[in-house]
Amino acid sequence: MRDADDRRRGRSPVDGVECRENLLINHFFHDFKGNISTVIMCIEAVSDGVWGEVTERQKASLGRAGRTCERMIRLINNFRDMTQMEEGVFESEPETVNVGAVLEGIEREIAPVAHERGQLLDFVREGRLPAATFRGALFERVMKSLFEVVLDATRRGGRVIARSGCDGGGLSVDVAFEAIEADEETLGTVFDRLAQTRTGLQLGRGFTLLFCREAVAWMGGRLHLGPWPGRGCRVTIALPLKPAG
Amino acid sequence: MEKKPKIFMVDDDADLVLVVKSVFEASGYEFASAGSAKEGLEKIDAVRPDLIILDVMMEDLVAGFRVVNALRDYEANPQNRAWATTPILMLTSVQQRTKMKFSQDVGSKLLPIDSFLEKPVKPQALLATVAELLKKA
């Protein structure tokens, strides 16, 4: 696979190679998702009690296995979509989405994970979040991916404060989390493919943050990772929204 | 005794087929499968399904689409006329990549299937979709 910067610059435009590379990527995604899908189905079937009762502890363990598989699916989807964004061929249909409901759904999903890890999660939605026409599915995946990284980076017993609100036709999300402290410059390296390991945000998690930043930029917004002085880090997202109707 | 609805799954992922078979049989369905589009079309008369669960990428990138066309376009394929209205649920991991859109209308430019679910799918969601399609059929 070529370096992403080469793709952006349009280097190596050998049609046959390009075509085979895309097919290879397609087949890889298909095979990976197919295999993980089978694992998820097995886990869910056991957890749902299709073949008999399971205990709460077994269910919790199966739940963790299922969530991990879903993370792997998100990771591979993020990689695929970022590749397409860099190649300028990514497409995502706008849809009318209730922004508040999307954020509530994410809160419902991540709250048990934070609780299990002994983290204190505050979700604050300021004012009414309207229905809007935008890339809702992509936004939802960005937010889920972002919270995965945030919960991984937050220390046990640490606090995560997620504030969201609408202001002047745009959506703002601010996620502050108690983690390793780093200055602005060091945090900037998270988005550098080669230097991201130095920040203490583990390798691979930096890729997820990079995807979040690129996807938000693709939607016309901005993602910034900065310090939360004396506490940890904070991610802020500003995203333009077109009210529905 | 009430006849059990029969599900026919055409998918080349043998492990997925086994787990789906297990889920449907535990929920009171009959189940049969084929591992390729070609085998699916060969076996359909013998299986006589009430509903078909169909993969897209099997022996080639669009094998599932070929099955849909062979079943729905019964003027070109009169031997498949008996299955022209059998509900088809497409189960795929390539929906986003293919931008697949569907319609139940034969002759529409959209893919004439009844529903699709993107992998990974949860067993309860699959059972609920199948039950709904069978109720409508």
Side-chain angles (χ1 to χ4, degrees), chain A residues 134-150:
Chain A
F134 76 129
R135 273 79 180 174
L138 181 61
F139 171 71
E140 188 172 353
R141 181 144 52 87
V142 166
M143 294 309 294
K144 283 182 180 176
S145 300
L146 175 64
F147 277 108
E148 274 170 15
V149 177
V150 165

Side-chain angles (χ1 to χ4, degrees), chain A residues 23 26-27 30 33-34 37-38 40-42 44-45 48 50-51 70 73 80-81 84 90-91 93, chain B residues 13 15-16 19-20 22-23 26 55 57 61 93-94 96-97 99 101 118-124 126:
Chain A
L23 268 179
N26 275 352
H27 284 150
H30 174 265
K33 283 183 77 173
S37 301
T38 303
I40 290 176
M41 188 150 231
C42 292
E44 293 279 346
D48 288 349
V50 169
W51 303 294
E70 280 164 15
I73 295 270
R80 174 200 60 198
D81 290 353
Q84 291 180 355
F90 181 72
E91 286 177 34
E93 301 277 330
Chain B
D13 184 333
D15 285 327
L16 181 67
V19 67
V20 172
S22 216
V23 166
D55 189 14
M57 282 170 71
L61 291 173
S93 55
V94 295
Q96 190 179 356
R97 189 80 199 181
K99 314 282 185 280
K101 290 181 177 160
E118 181 155 18
K119 293 175 185 174
V121 62
K122 300 189 176 192
Q124 295 303 343
L126 180 59

Side-chain angles (χ1 to χ4, degrees), chain A residues 55-67:
Chain A
T55 66
E56 283 307 308
R57 287 179 74 176
Q58 287 167 333
K59 207 174 228 182
S61 181
L62 290 166
R64 275 192 289 277
R67 279 200 303 273

Side-chain angles (χ1 to χ4, degrees), chain B residues 50-115:
Chain B
D50 295 299
L51 182 141
I52 300 159
I53 298 176
L54 187 60
D55 189 14
V56 177
M57 282 170 71
M58 291 180 280
E59 58 264 51
D60 60 51
L61 291 173
V62 291
F65 296 160
R66 266 204 320 281
V67 174
V68 172
N69 286 332
L71 298 180
R72 291 295 190 252
D73 188 0
Y74 52 80
E75 286 178 5
N77 304 278
Q79 74 279 14
N80 293 327
R81 192 176 186 104
W83 317 114
T85 57
T86 304
I88 298 177
L89 166 61
M90 203 155 244
L91 188 60
T92 173
S93 55
V94 295
Q95 188 270 331
Q96 190 179 356
R97 189 80 199 181
T98 55
K99 314 282 185 280
M100 188 171 80
K101 290 181 177 160
F102 70 91
S103 159
Q104 292 174 40
D105 304 327
V106 177
S108 158
K109 284 179 183 166
L110 305 177
L111 191 67
I113 57 171
D114 298 83
S115 188

Side-chain angles (χ1 to χ4, degrees), chain A residues 159-229:
Chain A
R159 185 171 287 278
V160 177
I161 304 169
R163 290 178 189 280
S164 52
C166 266
D167 181 21
L171 171 70
S172 67
V173 180
D174 178 312
V175 185
F177 51 107
E178 290 181 331
I180 293 168
E181 284 186 68
D183 59 30
E184 189 89 34
E185 190 183 350
T186 311
L187 287 172
T189 63
V190 165
F191 302 105
D192 179 323
R193 286 166 172 77
L194 298 177
Q196 59 181 237
T197 49
R198 275 191 258 132
T199 59
L201 289 162
Q202 297 162 32
L203 183 66
R205 311 274 157 76
F207 166 75
T208 298
L209 279 177
L210 178 61
F211 162 75
C212 293
R213 191 183 70 169
E214 298 288 299
V216 168
W218 191 87
M219 291 188 277
R222 202 175 80 90
L223 180 149
H224 178 257
L225 171 66
W228 186 18

Side-chain angles (χ1 to χ4, degrees), chain A residues 17-36:
Chain A
V17 173
E18 184 84 358
C19 182
R20 281 196 296 275
E21 184 183 273
N22 287 341
L23 268 179
L24 180 67
I25 291 172
N26 275 352
H27 284 150
F28 173 75
F29 288 138
H30 174 265
D31 291 354
F32 184 93
K33 283 183 77 173
N35 288 321
I36 294 284

